[in-house]
Amino acid sequence: MQFIANGELLKLSNDLTFVTESDLKIKTSLEYYSTRNSHSYRVSHSLDEQMSYRDVNISGLSFTNSAIDNEATLSHLTTVLAQTFTDYDFSTVSPDQFDLDSWENVARDINSLLSSAMGTEYASISQQLWNIIRSLMSEECEIFSYKPDEIDDPLVDAIWSFNYFFYSRRKFKLLFFTCVAEMNTDDESDYYDMD
């Protein structure tokens, strides 16, 4: 699995990362990946070597009654989590910590949270955001949300957060959309430095 650099997603991530007037810090990240064999494509950088532990720990897991139906999908999703939240160990994440959701529900959740944080500014970004996501992923993709337990939650101190994976098996692509809202504190002044 490999990260694919995308300037439009980077710009949207930056536009959706800000501090509100009520001193709420919002950090958003939109990341795009190829799920094809890493030897098939030239892309920005490989995650395969860094995150190979998932291959060892997923054997024996039960996929019965879970939104995820195979080890490869679980491996892709947890690899992205581990790459995004590097201070946390996701090796024990199980298939039942992911839910399958619809475009309508996901769009409603994201739009509601971001518009309440940004106000009318979000309206100017919203159309562009959804156009880019649809152009990269198509509406036939599956959308998984990550519902961590308290032990695995890297965002346990957040006021609100979401973690959505737009996964197209047909296109061999995965788009991870994560956003967290936390209270702004002086000792975290460069928390949102994207460089």
Side-chain angles (χ1 to χ4, degrees), residues 136-155:
L136 293 174
M137 299 309 298
S138 80
E139 289 198 30
E140 67 190 36
C141 72
E142 297 171 294
I143 305 174
F144 296 96
S145 58
Y146 174 57
K147 305 295 184 195
D149 59 30
E150 290 183 18
I151 296 168
D152 296 325
D153 191 358
L155 307 173

Side-chain angles (χ1 to χ4, degrees), residues 79-138:
T79 297
V80 170
L81 284 171
Q83 179 65 23
T84 303
F85 304 107
T86 57
D87 293 340
Y88 294 87
D89 178 11
F90 293 95
S91 62
T92 60
V93 170
S94 65
D96 61 356
Q97 289 178 268
F98 295 91
D99 291 330
L100 196 57
D101 218 328
S102 68
W103 272 94
E104 295 78 22
N105 289 342
V106 169
R108 184 174 40 251
D109 182 41
I110 291 171
N111 288 339
S112 173
L113 290 168
L114 290 176
S115 66
S116 69
M118 291 184 81
T120 56
E121 264 186 77
Y122 180 66
S124 64
I125 297 173
S126 173
Q127 182 79 25
Q128 179 187 15
L129 170 69
W130 292 108
N131 286 343
I132 290 170
I133 292 174
R134 283 188 181 94
S135 72
L136 293 174
M137 299 309 298
S138 80

